[in-house]
Amino acid sequence: MIKGVKTTNDFGVPQGGPLSPLLANIMLNELDKELELRNHRFVRYADDIVIFCRSERSCERTYQHILPFIEGKLRLKVNRQKTKITHI
């Protein structure tokens, strides 16, 4: 729904459906392996991921290097409006 109006979607799977988390885990398994190869500490829940870095500069470098992997190799779209580099 967009502003209370039901709309159709020509891509993806329905949010909240049982297939969505399963497909996220299958697709993002490759991302998990890539982050492990790069010795990053991270936590992923379905399609949400937190990557831990030692500094803001390190986070920015990681972000710039992992985006091409996610969008290029995995062909997934990263929502840049929801993506944040922050101190926790």
Side-chain angles (χ1 to χ4, degrees), residues 31 35 38-44 48-55 58-59 62-63 66-67 70 84-86 88:
L31 177 60
L35 291 170
R38 296 179 184 202
N39 293 318
H40 287 294
R41 293 179 185 223
F42 65 95
V43 176
R44 185 172 61 79
D48 292 323
I49 189 163
V50 177
I51 303 171
F52 300 97
C53 302
R54 294 191 182 271
S55 69
S58 174
C59 285
T62 299
Y63 179 67
I66 209 66
L67 273 178
I70 295 169
K84 296 180 183 176
I85 295 176
T86 186
I88 53 172

Side-chain angles (χ1 to χ4, degrees), residues 6-9 14 17-18 23-26 29 31 34 40 44 47-49 51 59 67 70-71 81-82 84 87-88:
K6 186 176 178 181
T7 60
T8 60
N9 195 347
L23 291 177
N25 281 326
I26 290 169
N29 185 53
L31 177 60
E34 183 68 19
H40 287 294
R44 185 172 61 79
D47 62 346
D48 292 323
I49 189 163
I51 303 171
C59 285
L67 273 178
I70 295 169
E71 294 183 333
Q81 293 176 341
K82 290 184 178 180
K84 296 180 183 176
H87 186 273
I88 53 172

Side-chain angles (χ1 to χ4, degrees), residues 10-21:
D10 296 333
F11 60 93
V13 294
Q15 185 176 1
L19 189 56
S20 182

